[in-house]
Amino acid sequence: MKILVAVKRVTDANVKIRVNAAKTAVELTNVKMAMNPFDEIGVEAALRLKESGQIDAASEIIAVSVGAATSGETIRTALAMGADRGILVEATDGLEPLIVAKLLQQVVKRENPELVILGKQAIDDDCNQTGQMLAGLLGWAQGSFASKLAIDGNRLAVTREVDGGLENVSLAMPAIITTDLRLNEPRYPSLPNIMKAKKKPLDTLPAAELGVDLSPRLVVISVEEPPARKAGIRVNSAAELADKLHNEAKAF
Amino acid sequence: MSILVFAEHDGKEVKTPSLHAITAAKSLGKITLLLIGSGAKTAAESAKNIPGVGEILVAESEKYNNLLAEQVAPLLVSLAASCSHIFAAATSVGKNIFPRTAALLDVQQISEISAVKSADTFIRPIYAGNALATVQSRDKVKLITVRMAAFEASPRTGGDGTAAIKSIDAVAGHDDLAKFVSSALSHSERPELTSARIVISGGRGMQNGENFKLLDAVADKLGAAVGASRAAVDSGYVPNEFQVGQTGKVIAPDLYIAVGISGAIQHLAGMKDSKVIACINKDADAPIFQVADYGLVADLFEAVPQFSAALDGVLKK
C-alpha cells in the first residue's frame, strides 16, 4: 500500500505572531517555523498503520509539501519521524487551498496512493479546506476530523469528531483522511533517525510544470491585529467575584 | 441570483448555528434557504417565519439524513449556477461539506468569516484569531462559512411568513463512496456550548473528570454550559465536544468563566470575544489574567465551592 501524507511549514504554534507594518500580512521574517501540528498527527497516523501491521510492512509512506524550498525542511522532519521518501512541489509560499489541492491532485495522479492523509487545518490561514477539496477533485470519499482510523477489509473505518460528539463512517478506498487532535500523539524524531532522514530521497517537482493555474482567487486587502481587550481587575475572594459579576458586570 | 443558505435542521426547525449564518447572509439581501433530508418540509414550514427568507428549497430525501459530504456536495453544485453566494454555519457539517463543494465548482471558499464588508469582501480571523484578514473574492459564486460567535442568531419569528416552499429533487451521488455507520452524540440538559449565554470551563487544573462536578454545580445555578480547555480534553477529563479553542469550538457568550485554565493562545482564540471574562487560577502569572475582566488568584478547589455558595446569595436578591 502507498500512503501520501501532506505536510505544511507554518509558524511554530507557540510563537506570538505580529502583523507587518504595511498591514498586508503577518510578519514571518526571523519567526520560528515548524510542521503544522495536525500534519504531524497525519504522519504519525500513517506510521502507525504500518507499524501495527494493518497495512503490509512493504508499504511506502510519502511526505509531500507544497511551498518554497524551505518546505524541504518540513519534509525532512516527516522523514525523520519515519516516512520513506519526500516530494517537494516547489512553489511560492501561501498558495490558496484550492491551488494546493489541485497540485496535490497531480501528485496523486503520478503516485497512485490508496490513502492520502492531511491535517484538518493549517494553523496559519485556518482554512480547513485542502483535504475536503482534494477529495472532491479526485471523486474520493473523505473522512474529515478523524479521531480513529482502521483498515476494514477493502474499506476504511473512521471515527470523526463532530459538534455533538463522534460519528462513525465507512469509506471506500482510495480515500482522504484529515486528522483531528485526538487521533494520536505524534512522536519526536530521534537523533539517529534525523541523521538517517538526510539520506532518504526527496524529489522536487516545480509547481509550474504540473499544469495548474497558480493565480489566486482572493485578494488580501488588509491584515490587521484584532482590538485588544482592556485590562481587567483582580478580586480578592470568590464572594467578591460573584458580587461583581452580578452587580457590576450584570452578567446574570 | 440567489443568496442561498444551507441550513441544518432537527426535523422541526432550523438549528441555532444556522440562524447565525442567516444573519450574515441576509445583510446582502433576501435569502433562499436550503433544507434537506427527512423532516425538511416540517422544518421549512417553521422557517417561513424567519425574517429575510424569500424562498425555501426542500430536498426531502433520506439519502441526505446523515449529511455526508459525498452526497450533499453534488446537490449544492447543481444549485450553484443560480446563486451569487452560498452560506453555511461553520459547524462540523458546514466545514466538511463546503470545501468539497467549492472544489467541484472551482471556487476558493472563504472560511469562517467574522464580518461582511460588501457582496464580495469579507473579514476572517487567521492565526488563531491573532490577525484579521480582509479578503475580496474574484469567484463568480462565493462559498462562505460563517463563524457563529461573530453574528447574532436570527430570530425565528417576525418574518412575513410568505416565503414560497419549493421541492427539489435529490441529485445522484456515489452511494457506495461513504457510508454512515453510527453516531455517539452526547445529550445534556444544559444549553449547547455554542449558543449558551454563560459558559464555565475547566482546564488541566481540574485534575480529573470527577472534579468537573464542581463546575456542574455552578452551571446548574446559572443555566450555563460547561466547556473545557484542550489540555482537559486531551487528558481525558471530558469528551472532545467540550473543547473551547481554535481547534475546538469558538464561542462568544455574555459571560465566560475560566477555571484552572492557564490561557494558551489556542484556548484564548476560542473565547476571547466573550462579553465578560472571569477566571479563577492559582497561578497569578497565567496568561488568562491578561484577557480576564475579573480575575481571582485562588485554589479552585476552595474558590469554586465558595463561588457557588455566594451565587445563592446574589441570585436571591
Side-chain angles (χ1 to χ4, degrees):
Chain A
M1 180 139 136
K2 209 188 243 192
I3 303 179
L4 201 65
V5 185
V7 296
K8 184 177 184 183
R9 184 173 183 265
V10 298
T11 52
D12 186 283
N14 299 311
V15 168
K16 175 97 176 87
I17 60 101
R18 283 182 306 109
V19 169
N20 68 9
K23 294 192 173 179
T24 54
V26 165
E27 187 58 69
L28 295 178
T29 315
N30 297 324
V31 172
K32 188 181 175 209
M33 305 295 277
M35 188 190 298
N36 181 42
F38 289 102
D39 303 346
E40 293 182 324
I41 295 171
V43 175
E44 181 69 33
L47 296 172
R48 289 192 190 184
L49 281 177
K50 191 165 157 179
E51 290 164 356
S52 67
Q54 287 203 63
I55 57 175
D56 69 272
S59 298
E60 192 181 29
I61 297 169
I62 307 165
V64 57
S65 189
V66 177
T70 44
S71 288
E73 295 166 21
T74 309
I75 296 174
R76 287 286 173 209
T77 305
L79 298 177
M81 288 174 74
D84 299 298
R85 66 182 166 97
I87 300 172
L88 171 65
V89 179
E90 198 168 6
T92 52
D93 282 327
L95 289 180
E96 290 169 357
L98 181 64
I99 300 169
V100 173
K102 287 178 179 175
L103 291 168
L104 292 176
Q105 182 189 15
Q106 296 308 313
V107 175
V108 167
K109 274 190 185 164
R110 287 166 179 239
E111 297 289 343
N112 292 309
E114 279 107 324
L115 184 61
V116 183
I117 307 179
L118 307 90
K120 78 163 178 181
Q121 120 185 28
I123 62 164
D124 51 5
D125 63 22
D126 284 330
C127 279
N128 191 337
Q129 296 176 357
T130 307
Q132 299 90 313
M133 285 182 156
L134 180 59
L137 293 172
L138 292 165
W140 292 6
Q142 63 188 57
S144 58
F145 327 144
S147 65
K148 255 188 213 161
L149 176 61
I151 307 283
D152 180 20
N154 59 354
R155 294 178 76 88
L156 264 183
V158 183
T159 301
R160 304 180 54 234
E161 295 202 354
V162 297
D163 287 342
L166 299 171
E167 176 183 282
N168 298 305
V169 292
S170 162
L171 308 181
M173 297 227 270
I176 302 287
I177 292 294
T178 79
T179 62
D180 217 318
L181 292 168
R182 279 156 289 277
L183 184 57
N184 59 52
E185 272 187 46
R187 70 195 65 188
Y188 292 101
S190 66
L191 192 58
N193 285 342
I194 291 172
M195 301 310 290
K196 254 193 259 171
K198 291 181 178 166
K199 295 197 182 100
K200 289 182 178 176
L202 199 175
D203 295 328
T204 298
L205 283 177
E209 288 174 17
L210 292 176
V212 172
D213 178 5
L214 302 175
S215 51
R217 306 292 183 80
L218 298 182
V219 184
V220 177
I221 293 175
S222 68
V223 175
E224 286 170 72
E225 282 179 22
R229 282 188 86 93
K230 66 175 174 50
I233 59 160
R234 299 279 170 107
V235 295
N236 295 311
S237 70
E240 189 188 350
L241 181 61
D243 176 69
K244 285 262 198 276
L245 290 175
H246 180 65
N247 293 313
E248 191 175 281
K250 310 273 184 213
F252 49 79
Chain B
M1 297 297 261
S2 313
I3 300 164
L4 188 70
V5 178
F6 169 77
E8 295 170 56
H9 65 89
D10 59 9
K12 295 189 197 80
E13 57 182 15
V14 170
K15 286 188 180 174
T16 305
S18 298
L19 294 174
H20 296 267
I22 287 170
T23 299
K26 75 183 178 196
S27 66
L28 295 174
K30 269 261 189 255
I31 59 170
T32 301
L33 283 190
L34 172 64
L35 296 166
I36 62 174
S38 299
K41 275 185 192 139
T42 312
E45 282 300 331
S46 76
K48 274 174 145 179
N49 298 315
I50 298 173
V53 176
E55 187 185 22
I56 304 175
L57 305 180
V58 171
E60 178 137 350
S61 164
E62 281 180 10
K63 71 187 280 186
Y64 297 131
N65 284 5
N66 297 308
L67 299 173
L68 293 169
E70 294 81 352
Q71 300 286 1
V72 181
L75 176 70
L76 288 169
V77 168
S78 75
L79 299 171
S82 61
C83 297
S84 60
H85 300 75
I86 309 180
F87 284 88
T91 58
S92 54
V93 170
K95 291 178 189 174
N96 187 40
I97 294 172
F98 264 46
R100 187 177 181 102
T101 309
L104 295 172
L105 290 168
D106 195 25
V107 164
Q108 176 52 55
Q109 177 188 318
I110 307 159
S111 290
E112 296 215 31
I113 63 161
S114 58
V116 177
K117 296 283 277 184
S118 71
D120 66 3
T121 305
F122 308 89
I123 299 180
R124 57 179 305 268
I126 56 174
Y127 287 87
N130 289 301
L132 299 173
T134 302
V135 295
Q136 184 176 31
S137 169
R138 296 179 189 172
D139 284 312
K140 219 169 81 187
V141 48
K142 279 86 178 156
L143 258 77
I144 296 161
T145 60
V146 174
R147 177 164 285 196
M148 283 86 82
F151 297 87
E152 298 283 336
S154 158
R156 294 183 184 278
T157 56
D160 53 19
T162 58
I165 297 178
K166 189 176 150 200
S167 281
I168 57 170
D169 292 331
V171 172
H174 309 274
D175 290 343
D176 192 48
L177 217 47
K179 288 196 156 113
F180 173 84
V181 177
S182 63
S183 64
L185 303 182
S186 52
H187 295 281
S188 167
E189 297 299 307
R190 298 211 179 83
E192 253 193 279
L193 200 47
T194 47
S195 53
R197 270 191 59 250
I198 301 177
V199 174
I200 181 163
S201 288
R204 202 194 300 275
M206 298 304 295
Q207 295 181 3
N208 60 47
E210 184 66 18
N211 289 334
F212 267 74
K213 284 190 178 150
L214 293 171
L215 307 187
D216 291 344
V218 174
D220 288 341
K221 286 178 188 173
L222 293 173
V226 176
S229 69
R230 177 181 165 183
V233 174
D234 283 353
S235 304
Y237 303 168
V238 286
N240 69 281
E241 64 267 22
F242 279 57
Q243 189 190 327
V244 174
Q246 176 64 12
T247 53
K249 294 193 172 74
V250 178
I251 59 174
D254 292 347
L255 172 62
Y256 187 85
I257 308 172
V259 180
I261 292 176
S262 65
I265 293 176
Q266 90 86 29
H267 183 75
L268 299 183
M271 45 60 81
K272 69 181 164 52
D273 293 327
S274 305
K275 287 197 184 72
V276 176
I277 298 173
C279 72
I280 299 173
N281 200 303
K282 66 179 176 192
D283 175 9
D285 297 324
I288 191 75
F289 285 101
Q290 290 162 22
V291 300
D293 301 292
Y294 300 97
L296 173 62
V297 182
D299 180 352
L300 73 92
F301 295 104
E302 288 168 18
V304 174
Q306 287 167 0
F307 180 69
S308 183
L311 284 178
D312 295 335
V314 296
L315 291 171
K316 220 181 291 169
K317 277 179 214 163

